[in-house]
Amino acid sequence: MRLIIGGKWSSTWTMRGWLACRLSGLPFEAETLFLSRPESKARLAEVSPTGLIPVLVDDGFVVTDTLAIAEYLWERAPGCDIWPGELRARTAARMSAAEMHAHFAELRAAMPMNLVKRWPIANGIPSNAKLLGRPGVEAQVARVQQSWRDTRAAWGAGGPYLFGTRFCFADAMWAPMASRFRTYSVALAPDAQAYADAVLAHPLVAEWIAGAEAQAREIGWEACSAWP
């Protein structure tokens, strides 16, 4: 299998797609496509029918959309770490992942993911969080924390993740959000901060972040202050 991804420092959906591939335990190769480069538009048209990444290619079969990629990998490797094993827990994990997939547009626009930069606080607001003062963004930050809190209360006993000791694709879906809160120094409730810290410290997430930092060293830190 081959996974076409974007720049690691800011491509949220490809981070999730890569984590899904790793959680599946199936062998795959990753191909990076830096979308800001002139030659990338033609290459993207070749590999992605939607014009978006990530794209998973498995023996000529093309899978688009990160959530669909995770489901395809689960079907290929049932019982892998993508979803919890028990039916209701698995359904709850899909509900959590789907909420992240479908919502929080204002928050995402206000705080683009950037794994290699940190923006200072000015008057209590991160200087690069363009919309953080808007009620919609504040409400979405609160909703993210409540979603984490509710899921962990129902399913997270015994471990630091949404479903306890097992890091699954629901956690992977929230990993870029946890990184946003760190990048822009967003103050979280203690329980939400503990969960965000646990997600960012997970070995697979840490591996991806290390890869982002390696890209920054290779192409220049300033180049990584914008989109890939």
Side-chain angles (χ1 to χ4, degrees):
M1 292 191 298
R2 185 164 49 99
L3 183 73
I4 294 91
I5 63 175
K8 289 186 174 182
W9 69 91
S10 65
S11 187
T12 62
W13 290 107
T14 56
M15 177 183 182
R16 296 174 177 113
W18 182 88
L19 288 169
C21 286
R22 291 297 303 273
L23 289 169
S24 76
L26 298 170
F28 74 101
E29 296 181 357
E31 175 187 337
T32 300
L33 188 60
F34 294 105
L35 300 182
S36 60
R37 295 181 178 177
E39 67 275 13
S40 295
K41 185 176 181 179
R43 176 60 181 151
L44 183 61
E46 292 175 0
V47 298
S48 175
T50 64
L52 301 171
I53 50 176
V55 175
L56 182 71
V57 183
D58 184 16
D59 193 25
F61 182 64
V62 176
V63 186
T64 62
D65 188 275
T66 303
L67 197 53
I69 289 170
E71 292 290 2
Y72 177 77
L73 294 168
W74 169 263
E75 294 291 341
R76 282 210 52 194
C80 70
D81 285 340
I82 288 177
W83 299 123
E86 193 272 327
L87 173 61
R88 291 188 177 183
R90 186 163 65 249
T91 301
R94 285 176 165 136
M95 288 164 55
S96 179
E99 181 178 15
M100 178 62 249
H101 188 277
H103 299 291
F104 309 109
E106 286 185 86
L107 195 164
R108 297 177 195 178
M111 293 179 276
M113 187 182 81
N114 195 309
L115 294 174
V116 300
K117 301 287 283 188
R118 301 288 183 272
W119 277 276
I121 298 292
N123 298 321
I125 297 176
S127 60
N128 202 51
K130 300 184 290 296
L131 306 176
L132 192 57
R134 294 191 178 183
V137 175
E138 298 288 358
Q140 288 175 10
V141 171
R143 173 55 201 163
V144 169
Q145 295 179 80
Q146 191 62 48
S147 180
W148 294 351
R149 186 173 298 119
D150 291 346
T151 305
R152 281 193 38 75
W155 304 100
Y161 307 118
L162 292 177
F163 293 83
T165 59
R166 189 179 189 183
F167 181 96
C168 71
F169 186 66
D171 300 295
M173 284 291 287
W174 291 108
M177 186 66 76
S179 81
R180 285 176 162 102
F181 293 153
R182 182 175 67 179
T183 295
Y184 298 98
S185 304
V186 176
L188 303 176
D191 59 342
Q193 187 63 63
Y195 171 69
D197 290 344
V199 167
L200 293 174
H202 187 274
L204 292 181
V205 178
E207 181 180 342
W208 179 271
I209 293 172
E213 293 170 347
Q215 280 187 346
R217 287 191 293 271
E218 180 180 351
I219 68 177
W221 291 91
E222 284 306 310
C224 294
S225 65
W227 296 104

